[in-house]
Amino acid sequence: MTTVRDATLAVLRRQGATTLFANPGSTEISLLTDLPDDLEFVLALHEGSVVGMATGWALARQRPAVAILHTTAGLGNAVGALATAQVDRAPLVVVVGQQDRRHLAFEPFLAGQRLDELVRPHAVWVCEPVRAQDVPGAVARAWHEADLHRGPAVVIVPMDDWDAEHDGAAEAAPVRSLRTAAADPAACDAVAELLTGSRSPALVAGAGADDEQTWAALVALADRLAMPVWQEPFGARAGFPQDHPRFAGHLPAGRAGVRSSLAGHDLVLVVGAAAFRQYPFEDGALVEPGTRIVVITDDPDEALRSPAELAVVAAPAAVCAELARRVPARDAAPADVRRTRVVAPPVAGEPLRPEHVFAALAERLPRETVVVEETPSSRALLHELVPARAPLGFLSAAMGGLGFGLPAAVGVRLGSPQRPVVAVIGDGSSLYGIQALWSAAHYGVGVLVIVLSNGRYAIMDRLAGGRGSATGTPGAAPWPAFEEISISGLGTSLGCESHRVVDHGDLTTVLDKVVPTLERRTTPLVLDVAVAP
């Protein structure tokens, strides 16, 4: 007899989706027990880490990863990570367990209540198959939904469905789906006309431009039009080589900063992002009067929420490569518009600061390194000092929630074991996903984890202090520091080699030893680096 489980596993094999990330519960036992040898099971110790690792794997492989979650408890724990996967454009097939279909009406122990409503805002597609026999087709469709829409596609499956007999019914999903990548001539004509008529265009690149073909197209277009290139604020990935002479830096996240940065440009071409992502609310326009905005993205939502004169929904690589061929070249030297900063090592007795750590990394990391960031209080310094020099050279949680960095770094290295992976994480951030270190140790994942330890939520302290009072005194934060926590001790307890680094000499010594091994490492290393608050 062919069971629903047999038919579903066949779907996963057909799509090459044979790595399963999970933290199992009782509602998944019938799916996971006696898993065939050709399927790889990867255990994470918390559902947030399950989804974070799957997200990193999917972005590294550029194909959907499979995450398995346990009814309300597991899905609830993972919702924040699913929101990050959605904003980070990570294709995930998410299978959520449910209690036995035959007594759901009685609301038994572990019955999931409105699981679809719990996850729907953070998914590109959600399905609760009407019959057990529809589960394989739903999983097949979820793979295509995740791939085409680049986000989590969720299938909710009662636990007894897996053992049901499959009736051989046709799957309500194609075997293959293809996304067209050709550039529409009419769209290219419209954008080319605006660019050609522009006096001083500028380019803003977003996470949706982070692939080899789009980088090449944007470099050609920027050079042809002599445009400065900015990175979108709070982007999950780098949309342009940040060591290129035309790279101008990261746009600020407030309207005044955006206006100031783009002042003097009469046209702004935004590629692979919306125009423009903000963080603090500020009054005023996004750009100066008379500045026109054009958006090119393959994400309809990004296009339609942008206050643009023209929005083109299409593959950015194809459109921008065609634009680089069409627009007239402008005669301008490729002046280096990026402002580089020199960071001197700390003098004797001076504490380490994040910029000392980043400068040491910048001097040593290979070009192809993936830097996974989750250090809110020093993110701007990291951007300034450690440029992304290859596609997927930078990865962050664009949604803004914590707990992504550690598991994502583990997932990236699992998905792309030939690339060096360095996670740069704040100690407060690390505690949201610290259990991912066990998975790194258990599965031999050679990731370097650098935790900047200042014993507090530095970004929150800074925001509270900035509030101030009517008398001009800084605002008081009610939360305490947590300096007694030992990140290196936690790393050791979870099976990782861990070191506490307290001065610049310690830092450079260990980096000189470790960085040359990153491509071939098969064990994780945690550096607990003491930095000044």
Side-chain angles (χ1 to χ4, degrees):
M1 179 183 78
T2 299
T3 64
V4 166
R5 176 183 186 258
D6 296 332
T8 303
L9 297 183
V11 167
L12 296 179
R13 290 188 184 98
R14 184 177 74 211
Q15 301 298 352
T18 56
T19 299
L20 313 180
F21 296 89
N23 180 267
S26 57
T27 53
E28 296 76 57
I29 286 293
S30 50
L31 168 63
L32 296 173
T33 301
D34 295 325
L35 201 65
D37 291 341
D38 63 328
L39 302 179
E40 179 185 13
F41 182 92
V42 179
L43 174 66
L45 303 185
H46 184 273
E47 290 85 358
S49 291
V50 169
V51 174
M53 288 166 61
T55 297
W57 190 98
L59 293 175
R61 291 285 182 98
Q62 299 184 54
R63 58 185 293 107
V66 180
I68 300 171
L69 302 174
H70 174 53
T71 190
T72 304
L75 181 58
N77 283 342
V79 161
L82 289 168
T84 294
Q86 180 192 40
V87 179
D88 277 17
R89 301 170 168 225
L92 302 180
V93 175
V94 183
V95 176
V96 179
Q98 171 64 293
Q99 245 285 6
D100 194 301
R101 187 188 290 270
R102 293 167 293 187
H103 67 163
L104 274 176
F106 297 99
E107 297 189 12
F109 181 66
L110 285 176
Q113 300 299 319
R114 299 180 179 176
L115 293 174
D116 61 326
E117 295 181 21
L118 181 60
V119 72
R120 195 173 298 279
H122 311 297
V124 298
W125 185 71
V126 181
C127 179
E128 292 184 85
V130 175
R131 305 182 308 148
Q133 290 73 21
D134 296 329
V135 169
V139 171
R141 178 169 172 181
W143 196 95
H144 295 293
E145 293 279 359
D147 188 45
L148 292 174
H149 298 292
R150 292 184 301 171
V154 179
V155 182
I156 300 165
V157 184
M159 58 192 298
D160 58 311
D161 281 9
W162 299 113
D163 292 328
E165 183 175 3
H166 188 245
D167 58 5
E171 297 166 6
V175 174
R176 298 174 65 210
S177 58
L178 298 174
R179 182 190 295 113
T180 59
D184 178 74
C188 292
D189 287 343
V191 179
E193 181 179 356
L194 289 170
L195 286 171
T196 301
S198 170
R199 169 182 49 80
S200 176
L203 175 63
V204 175
D210 185 27
D211 61 77
E212 189 172 343
Q213 294 77 20
T214 311
W215 274 33
L218 290 183
V219 166
L221 184 59
D223 283 341
R224 192 160 181 84
L225 291 176
M227 291 189 292
V229 182
W230 296 86
Q231 172 71 31
E232 67 163 325
F234 291 104
R237 297 163 67 176
F240 191 84
Q242 295 174 357
D243 58 344
H244 191 277
R246 297 202 184 278
F247 183 67
H250 288 69
L251 276 184
R255 297 186 180 199
V258 171
R259 288 196 304 272
S260 175
S261 297
L262 300 176
H265 297 288
D266 61 337
L267 185 142
V268 179
L269 177 64
V270 182
V271 179
F276 297 99
R277 202 161 190 225
Q278 304 285 286
Y279 177 39
F281 173 76
E282 295 178 357
D283 286 322
L286 285 167
V287 292
E288 292 185 328
T291 300
R292 308 165 93 173
I293 297 173
V294 177
V295 172
I296 301 171
T297 175
D298 61 359
D299 184 334
D301 290 336
E302 284 184 347
L304 297 179
R305 68 173 177 264
S306 297
E309 178 173 327
L310 173 64
V312 177
V313 180
V319 173
C320 293
E322 183 61 26
L323 290 173
R325 288 189 286 268
R326 289 190 184 204
V327 296
R330 302 195 181 193
D331 186 15
D336 193 342
V337 295
R338 178 179 168 83
R339 296 175 296 278
T340 57
R341 177 181 173 188
V342 177
V343 177
V347 300
E350 182 184 358
L352 276 173
R353 297 189 181 277
E355 56 263 41
H356 298 135
V357 180
F358 301 155
L361 285 174
E363 292 174 359
R364 292 165 174 81
L365 292 182
R367 178 182 180 277
E368 65 275 12
T369 302
V370 183
V371 175
V372 182
E373 175 273 327
E374 194 167 86
T375 174
S377 62
S378 53
R379 178 184 292 123
L381 286 169
L382 181 70
H383 285 323
E384 183 180 5
L385 296 170
V386 188
R389 295 175 287 164
L392 197 59
F394 173 81
L395 178 60
S396 184
M399 190 274 293
L402 301 180
F404 170 78
L406 268 177
V410 175
V412 168
R413 179 70 176 188
L414 279 169
S416 188
Q418 76 281 3
R419 290 189 69 171
V421 178
V422 177
V424 181
I425 313 291
D427 55 350
S429 301
S430 75
L431 296 172
Y432 284 76
I434 196 74
Q435 61 282 116
L437 291 177
W438 178 89
S439 299
H442 182 80
Y443 293 103
V445 181
V447 63
L448 171 61
V449 178
I450 298 176
V451 179
L452 304 180
S453 294
N454 54 31
R456 63 200 70 234
Y457 294 124
I459 186 64
M460 297 303 299
D461 294 345
R462 185 183 303 167
L463 291 171
R467 289 281 294 178
S469 67
T471 61
T473 57
W479 46 85
F482 42 86
E483 295 169 327
E484 63 272 28
I485 295 176
S486 169
I487 298 298
S488 56
L490 289 172
T492 299
S493 73
L494 291 164
C496 295
E497 179 186 355
S498 304
H499 299 290
R500 175 75 168 172
V501 174
V502 297
D503 61 41
H504 195 258
D506 290 345
L507 176 68
T508 55
T509 297
V510 71
L511 289 180
D512 285 338
K513 180 180 178 181
V514 172
V515 169
T517 72
L518 288 179
E519 286 189 22
R520 60 182 185 276
R521 281 190 73 88
T522 57
T523 57
L525 174 64
V526 178
L527 299 184
D528 177 10
V529 184
V531 294

